[in-house]
Amino acid sequence: MDGNGRWAKRRGLPRTAGHTAGEEALADVVRTAARRNIGWLTVFGFSTENWVRPPSEVRHILGLHRKLFGRIEELNANNVRVNWIGRPFDEPGSRTPKSVQRAILQAIEDTKGNTGMVLTVAFDYGSRAEIARAARRAHPLDVDSVTTEMYDPALPPVDVLVRTSGESRVSNFLLWQAANARVYFTDCSWPDFGATQLDEALALVAKTAQPDHGATT
Ligand code: IPE
Ligand code: MG
């Protein structure tokens, strides 16, 4: 969910205002995606690299995650089940404060009965660390067992990877899972991302035929 800072700067606002607007955009996108019958929506909320940002910005972003995980009424109304991927709280290097841990676990618990879309929030997440850890744990060391050792092995292969804010590169996000993903690049900053952009991204799945070599899922 990139481009919050630039969105704010263009408006002469502090970066934190961009993050606040970004959290609201996410709430909207979740609603729209659930209505489109999307099965899995995974968002990059906070990366293992983001901890080096100024403490006040990090604090603000953590607060927004507590807000996001606290939207239980809306999530339940939309039949959305909350899920999380990231560095496990009990592993060396984990930096997720207890308050955010509690918010994540509570949201998972309070939405576990929902049968619609699964909203996975990547928090304190880095894809290369996820893959390295999975490789350490995989026996035998082959594609199937590495897949089984991902933070959440239930996450299906990515159909569409969305990159916002004019960046034409991928990031340290779902690199293993996105091996066969279509990629939707948009100049739209995350706070402006809405139904129009979501539908454009989804159209990539409809338009692009599945590869017929069948080597990957
Ligand atoms: C994404 O927006 C939010 C997080 C990484 C938490 P940015 O803060 O990266 O916004 P830009 O890239 O500075 O515009
Ligand atoms: Mg950025």
Side-chain angles (χ1 to χ4, degrees):
M1 297 184 283
D2 203 6
N4 294 346
R6 281 163 281 177
W7 181 93
K9 192 171 179 199
R10 280 199 302 277
R11 285 164 177 74
L13 297 170
R15 295 178 57 80
T16 49
H19 296 311
T20 300
E23 195 277 335
E24 279 155 21
L26 175 59
D28 262 354
V29 168
V30 168
R31 247 186 317 273
T32 309
R35 248 184 245 129
R36 300 285 191 272
N37 286 318
I38 290 173
W40 298 76
L41 175 67
T42 305
V43 293
F44 207 170
F46 197 77
S47 78
T48 49
E49 290 83 32
N50 285 153
W51 294 108
V52 303
R53 293 193 180 202
S56 59
E57 184 178 352
V58 170
R59 247 191 331 271
H60 185 83
I61 295 171
L62 298 188
L64 288 171
H65 278 79
R66 287 191 294 269
K67 181 176 180 194
L68 151 69
F69 289 114
R71 291 179 180 265
I72 301 299
E73 211 171 302
E74 274 171 73
L75 293 162
N76 283 335
N78 290 297
N79 198 21
V80 173
R81 178 161 70 82
V82 171
N83 187 31
W84 161 73
I85 52 173
R87 193 187 293 272
F89 303 144
D90 58 354
E91 285 190 12
S94 166
R95 295 182 65 174
T96 305
K98 278 277 182 317
S99 64
V100 177
Q101 293 185 22
R102 276 195 299 273
I104 290 172
L105 297 174
Q106 192 67 50
I108 292 172
E109 174 65 22
D110 290 346
T111 61
K112 70 178 180 201
N114 293 335
T115 54
M117 186 174 83
V118 180
L119 170 65
T120 304
V121 179
F123 183 92
D124 193 21
Y125 175 83
S127 183
R128 300 211 289 185
E130 177 185 37
I131 295 167
R133 173 182 178 275
R136 277 196 307 273
R137 295 160 61 102
H139 306 288
L141 181 42
D142 60 21
V143 169
D144 284 346
S145 42
V146 171
T147 303
T148 307
E149 296 295 344
M150 291 286 119
Y151 291 140
D152 181 3
L155 271 194
V158 173
D159 289 319
V160 192
L161 183 71
V162 171
R163 190 76 220 255
T164 56
S165 203
E167 304 285 348
S168 46
R169 57 181 177 87
V170 295
S171 66
N172 191 16
F173 187 53
L174 301 180
L175 296 172
W176 184 270
Q177 298 88 339
N180 201 33
R182 293 81 169 171
V183 186
Y184 174 71
F185 293 110
T186 176
D187 287 338
C188 188
S189 295
W190 176 254
D192 290 330
F193 193 94
T196 307
Q197 291 76 21
L198 184 70
D199 288 339
E200 278 175 19
L202 292 175
L204 288 182
V205 186
K207 275 186 210 141
T208 324
Q210 291 285 344
D212 55 12
H213 43 75
T216 56
T217 48

